Amino acid sequence: MHRKKMDTRLVFLLAALLATVLLEFKPVLPTLASEADHSVLAEVSVFETGNFHPIQSDVGTASSCSPPRSLLIFRPEEKGTYPVILFHHGTGCHNSLYTDVFKFISSHGYIVVAPQLYGLMPPSGQVELDLAAEVANWLPSGLRCVLPEDIEGEMHNLALAGHSRGGYIAFALALGLADVSLDINISALIGVDPVVGTSKNNQMEPKILNYESCSFNFSIPVTIIGTGLGNEPAFPILPQTCAPDGVSHTEIFNECKPPCSHFVTTDYGHMDVLDDDIGLIGEGARAICKGSWWGVSRDPMRRTVGGVSVAFLEAFFKGNYTDYNKILQNPNYFSPATLDPVQNKSEGTSCSSLSAMSVDEL
């Protein structure tokens, strides 16, 4: 009897203690957005895998469709007509090293075409640029050749994109610097930590930077996704960086005309956009660039690159600015990776007013 009373008292004591804890507990809620923003968090789905099912195909130069260079193509399995992204790989990188990002973007209803412009050793900038122009000119007829009958590419919605040196190629193509005349129209441009040389005095040829605000002679929409660690050396004793100041994302953004946006993934490096499993050669290339800490997942970086790209294209290709504006206004509430800074040159802004402002004020 005495033991039952003790057990009963113990139960009441534990219940009282639990009630006290629950009353004192106050959950910590995000403070980066208002309550209204929080209610629409689920609607910003560009950072999650989309509703389409990506199919990958490899197209060699010996195929009946005869592309100028071998291609890796990702497209939705579902029948339909989809915008096209022509993506250029970085220095010494194989196009397959971007598979995770390509699949992610394609799952949102896009066709991604990624040529392999060269092998391990890159050619001169002009040779690579001309090869890229040949691939671009092949797209209108060639893409129709390689796609199933019930799937088409929207060539009036064609975006150029590229990572690292491939970002330079994308901008140089848009600037009309190829010796091969372009027979297509470019509707948008995406740079993923683009790099145009090793220093201001050693730009790739043909040069694209003039170090003047809004100097680029095109007005197509542009988004640039840079990295916060790209301009830092991987090893303290070696000064070399993979995305040096003055020839990378910040200066390229400065020279873009509106509309143009600029996002910097603070905690990631130049090669963190690549897949995790990239082989010995890929790991060697990654090792020379400073990146995220050992053991830190690179998936947030890849989903951020994919999500920002999709939101940008949904805005300027389809007129759906909802997700794009949300990311611009509250980037670190929605983005998987920390974004800082985030800058935007809005449509309708004059370059004369921008030239009087510092880059950080844009």
Side-chain angles (χ1 to χ4, degrees), residues 123-132 205:
S124 69
Q126 189 67 62
V127 169
E128 183 180 355
L129 182 58
D130 294 344
L131 288 172
E205 296 287 350

Side-chain angles (χ1 to χ4, degrees), residues 174-220:
L175 288 166
L177 298 179
D179 288 336
V180 176
S181 177
L182 274 184
D183 300 327
I184 59 166
N185 292 320
I186 302 164
S187 301
L189 187 53
I190 301 171
V192 181
D193 216 20
V195 178
V196 306
T198 58
S199 69
K200 287 185 177 181
N201 297 323
N202 191 26
Q203 283 192 59
M204 291 182 61
E205 296 287 350
K207 296 179 180 179
I208 69 169
L209 294 180
N210 298 314
Y211 299 97
E212 297 177 5
S213 179
C214 296
S215 67
F216 288 160
N217 65 356
F218 57 73
S219 298
I220 58 174

